[in-house]
Amino acid sequence: LIGESRAAGLSVLPPDVNDYGYKFTVVDGAVRFGLGAVKGLGQAAIDSIVEARKEGPFVSLFDFCERVDAQKVNRRVVESLIKCGAFDKSGGADRAVMVMAIDEALEASARAQRDRKDGQSNMFDLLAETEGAAPVRAWPKAEPWRENVRLAFEKEALGFFITGHPLARYDMELGVVSSATADEARRKPDKTEVRLGGVVARVQTKLDKKGKKFAYVTLEDLSGSAELLVWADVYEKSAELLKLESVVLVIGQVDAGEQRPGQAKAGEQRSGQAKIIAREIMSLADAVERRTRTIDFKLPRVRLTDEILAFLQGVCQTYPGTARACLHLADGDGVAVYQLREQLKPCRELIESARLRLGPASLELR
């Protein structure tokens, strides 16, 4: 669903404790995950959330914890809801902060429920009744999660990336080293050679007849996923690269059949989704350095200031390498191209630095 939605240009929204229930829904042309997609969140917990929501929308994490049934919505469930983004619109704080506040919110909920059972009211309850608003609470201090951490938690809670993809920042590098996306590779004719870049999403190792390890690997990119078969000789050389969330380039051949070792006779093919027989696997960084011949900096001539020249000089000193570097300056008469004396290394640090200082469209690798 996620790969198909992105390929079709649809937006995918995280679950929301204040929006709908168990199933996927369509909201203003976007697909919203239902609460049933959250790992560890059973029907009883969802029913409790929906029932508590009848009193009105949840206005904070603390409000949520006080109103749902703590026997059905436990700490693990609350943490999963935060990690997948279900409190982004109503939780009252950043995801990292809310995770830090879970224990306090559950303790406050337990106290409130005990007080209600005993017929008591605490100061926060009285303030809320008097002012008609939820009490203001002090949140713990926590740094927002880095993007890769946030996405990893989304994957943990839902099995999918929702608010982004680990490969989005590598779009330029993938454009240089890849010959096909995962979706395109699956549709290629049998025996087609492909270069496929992506993030390792699953690794399943087995032993061949000689007792050597080989692997079935799921590689994901922005278009979807592709299945790889990594025979023992290739796996032995690349095992360290085939870790979950590693970004790699795979060079291999399309196998349009679905046979598995020991399940089909030689020469036979079975119908089904194509897989890629890996011939070589390398890190994306190594692949980019190997395949990039030229690094182009592209600017309107009017932007070429002393500060920009100083930046380019610093880049040349900081990232020496083997790729040719060219400066493209555009004006009303056309584009003038100047080759820099220094050669550069097309690394992630250089790319991020140049995009930040010059703009995302000011750098090209080829």
Side-chain angles (χ1 to χ4, degrees), residues 14-330:
D16 188 333
V17 292
N18 279 328
D19 198 0
Y20 302 100
Y22 193 87
K23 298 180 179 180
F24 289 86
T25 54
V26 177
V27 183
D28 296 328
V31 178
R32 182 179 295 284
F33 266 75
L35 293 173
V38 182
K39 293 182 179 179
L41 190 61
Q43 186 66 56
I46 295 173
D47 289 343
S48 175
I49 294 170
V50 173
E51 182 64 27
R53 203 169 61 202
K54 290 179 180 178
E55 303 172 14
F58 303 112
V59 297
S60 72
L61 173 67
F62 286 90
D63 178 47
F64 174 88
C65 289
E66 288 187 10
R67 289 165 55 187
V68 298
D69 186 340
Q71 299 298 316
K72 299 175 181 177
V73 183
N74 57 27
R75 188 191 195 286
R76 182 169 56 87
V77 168
V78 175
E79 184 173 342
S80 292
L81 287 169
I82 294 171
K83 287 180 173 179
C84 75
F87 284 104
D88 283 358
K89 294 171 64 177
S90 59
D94 178 81
R95 293 185 194 181
V97 174
M98 285 190 284
V99 166
M100 293 287 291
I102 290 175
D103 290 333
E104 182 183 350
L106 292 175
E107 289 171 7
S109 169
R111 287 195 303 270
Q113 291 181 17
R114 284 196 302 269
D115 289 348
R116 284 195 292 269
K117 185 177 181 180
D118 295 338
Q120 300 173 3
S121 293
N122 61 30
M123 182 173 65
F124 285 129
D125 292 329
L126 292 173
L127 285 172
E129 291 171 5
T130 302
E131 300 176 8
V136 177
R137 301 181 184 273
W139 291 97
K141 292 183 179 180
E143 289 293 324
W145 292 327
R146 298 190 305 275
E147 182 184 32
N148 62 324
V149 175
R150 186 190 76 244
L151 294 175
F153 281 145
E154 288 180 1
K155 184 77 175 289
E156 173 190 311
L158 290 171
F160 299 97
F161 303 112
I162 298 296
T163 59
H165 195 285
L167 286 181
R169 60 199 293 244
Y170 298 105
D171 58 336
M172 182 175 296
E173 293 100 308
L174 292 170
V176 172
V177 301
S178 301
S179 65
T181 65
D183 182 62
E184 291 167 346
R186 292 196 310 267
R187 304 170 191 273
K188 295 284 187 182
D190 194 38
K191 307 298 183 185
T192 302
E193 289 282 332
V194 293
R195 298 189 309 276
L196 179 62
V199 60
V200 177
R202 185 182 69 91
V203 180
Q204 180 184 17
T205 59
K206 293 180 177 291
L207 296 178
D208 64 16
K209 294 180 180 179
K210 297 181 179 179
K212 294 185 177 181
K213 279 187 179 181
F214 68 98
Y216 295 113
V217 177
T218 301
L219 195 71
E220 290 185 352
D221 66 9
L222 296 174
S223 74
S225 64
E227 300 301 317
L228 314 177
L229 176 53
V230 185
W231 290 117
D233 56 337
V234 178
Y235 181 78
E236 184 177 358
K237 299 174 184 176
S238 58
E240 288 303 311
L241 293 173
L242 294 176
K243 306 294 185 183
L244 294 182
E245 310 305 329
S246 294
V247 182
V248 299
L249 178 77
V250 178
I251 301 173
Q253 189 176 82
V254 175
D255 182 349
E258 189 62 20
Q259 65 208 48
R260 292 290 186 259
Q263 294 183 341
K265 296 180 181 179
E268 289 184 347
Q269 286 193 343
R270 298 171 58 184
S271 60
Q273 187 183 67
K275 59 182 177 292
I276 311 300
I277 309 298
R279 176 165 52 82
E280 184 179 3
I281 299 173
M282 67 190 81
S283 70
L284 182 62
D286 287 344
V288 170
E289 188 169 359
R290 182 188 299 187
R291 294 194 64 86
T292 300
R293 297 290 178 263
T294 304
I295 301 175
D296 294 317
F297 299 95
K298 298 183 175 183
L299 294 168
R301 187 177 290 275
V302 294
R303 285 193 59 199
L304 188 64
T305 61
D306 290 341
E307 289 77 13
I308 295 295
L309 287 172
F311 169 78
L312 293 174
Q313 184 177 20
V315 164
C316 291
Q317 294 172 351
T318 306
Y319 306 108
T322 58
R324 183 178 64 164
C326 293
L327 176 61
H328 298 240
L329 297 177

Side-chain angles (χ1 to χ4, degrees), residues 301 330-335:
R301 187 177 290 275
D331 57 24
D333 296 324
V335 178

